[in-house]
Amino acid sequence: MRDAMAGTDNFDADMQAYARDGAVCLRGAFDQSWVALAQEGIARNIEQPSPLFRNLGSQDGGFLSDIWSRRYISELERFCMESPAAAIAARALQSSKVRLAQDTWFSKLPGASVRTPWHHDTVIEGPFCSIWVALDPTPRTATLEFVRGSHAWGRAMMPRSYFSEEGDAAEQFYTEFHGDATDAVPQDYDQVPDIEANRSAYDIIGWELQPGDCVLFDARTLHGAPGNHLQHPIRRFVTRWITDESVLAPHGKDVIAALAAAGLPADLEVGKPVRGPLFPSITVLP
């Protein structure tokens, strides 16, 4: 069990902003000990990559990531299971019990120009939120961005690149874990509008971040991020959370296949609740 998180000021107001805007920045939600633990875990993970480790970058720089690596890296397991993340998710999802749907991390090395495409996360239907913890100082120009209120649009969308068979490593990654690469996608989803070409038409929000700050967002809020033009890496540790009511979306068969190929078979079925040891449940005390 975990005690509810009470470390940030004005937490009720933050939760109201989360519900209204689809994303909110929680300042100092993770103290330096958690930041250091995640940094250590990522460094060891790079030396000992799991089957799902990827370099999503191009020739101009690395964009490193791994998924479900807490199963192999003890520092990341401890962060997922003992840090304030579960309590934050419980408040956001309004549930005393939450499930860890996924742990992942991203490290954009200096010079990595590849952009995280504008998208929202649709592989889970039902309650679903993400917590991105900053592990490095990140100016507003390099941070994760959101279209305010887009979680309430009531439309399921995929990035334009998902509608093409062509794409770089990053696009292929997002297709595999966020949407189906088959011809059925254009029939089931609208295309994400070309936000970058018309930024002034959207209410785009984001925050300068210091290590220990986190961004909490509804998985259905459109989000994306620029490349890294800084002189240091930009690292983020991410946990994604659901409740017992959340189910695997119709295009989730790609995730099932990816897990099986990586030797991580999961008791998942399309349209059924997410269960099993890969998705541990945590009860949060009020």
Side-chain angles (χ1 to χ4, degrees), residues 135-194:
L135 304 179
D136 299 287
T138 308
R140 172 65 182 83
T141 55
T143 194
L144 189 67
E145 297 183 306
F146 304 87
V147 177
R148 192 198 307 265
S150 54
H151 65 306
W153 288 358
R155 298 161 57 196
M157 292 179 285
M158 294 287 182
R160 292 172 182 271
S161 60
Y162 293 9
F163 291 78
S164 170
E165 294 181 358
E166 300 178 357
D168 59 21
E171 290 172 347
Q172 293 170 10
F173 166 82
Y174 284 99
T175 300
E176 186 173 17
F177 287 100
H178 293 75
D180 193 345
T182 69
D183 292 338
V185 168
Q187 301 170 23
D188 298 336
Y189 298 92
D190 295 337
Q191 287 190 7
V192 173
D194 192 351

Side-chain angles (χ1 to χ4, degrees), residues 10 96 116 128 134 182 212:
N10 302 316
S96 62
T116 303
F128 188 15
T182 69

Side-chain angles (χ1 to χ4, degrees), residues 11 39 83 92 122 163 173-174 176 251 267 272 285:
F11 196 59
Q39 291 172 337
S83 81
T122 61
F163 291 78
F173 166 82
Y174 284 99
E176 186 173 17
H251 58 276
D267 185 18
K272 297 293 182 65
L285 297 175

Side-chain angles (χ1 to χ4, degrees), residues 14-38:
D14 289 334
M15 291 299 101
Q16 292 173 13
Y18 165 79
R20 180 188 67 242
D21 299 337
V24 66
C25 177
L26 305 179
R27 299 292 184 190
F30 295 80
D31 67 28
Q32 182 55 40
S33 65
W34 294 117
V35 171
L37 188 70

Side-chain angles (χ1 to χ4, degrees), residues 171-237:
E171 290 172 347
Q172 293 170 10
F173 166 82
Y174 284 99
T175 300
E176 186 173 17
F177 287 100
H178 293 75
D180 193 345
T182 69
D183 292 338
V185 168
Q187 301 170 23
D188 298 336
Y189 298 92
D190 295 337
Q191 287 190 7
V192 173
D194 192 351
I195 295 169
E196 284 304 294
N198 194 19
R199 287 177 64 94
S200 62
Y202 300 92
D203 188 0
I204 296 175
I205 58 175
W207 299 270
E208 177 181 348
L209 302 172
Q210 294 299 320
D213 294 343
C214 76
V215 178
L216 164 70
F217 62 96
D218 188 301
R220 291 157 192 88
T221 307
L222 282 172
H223 54 283
N228 181 8
H229 59 274
L230 306 175
Q231 298 302 309
H232 63 77
I234 300 175
R235 293 167 294 178
R236 303 179 178 103
F237 190 72

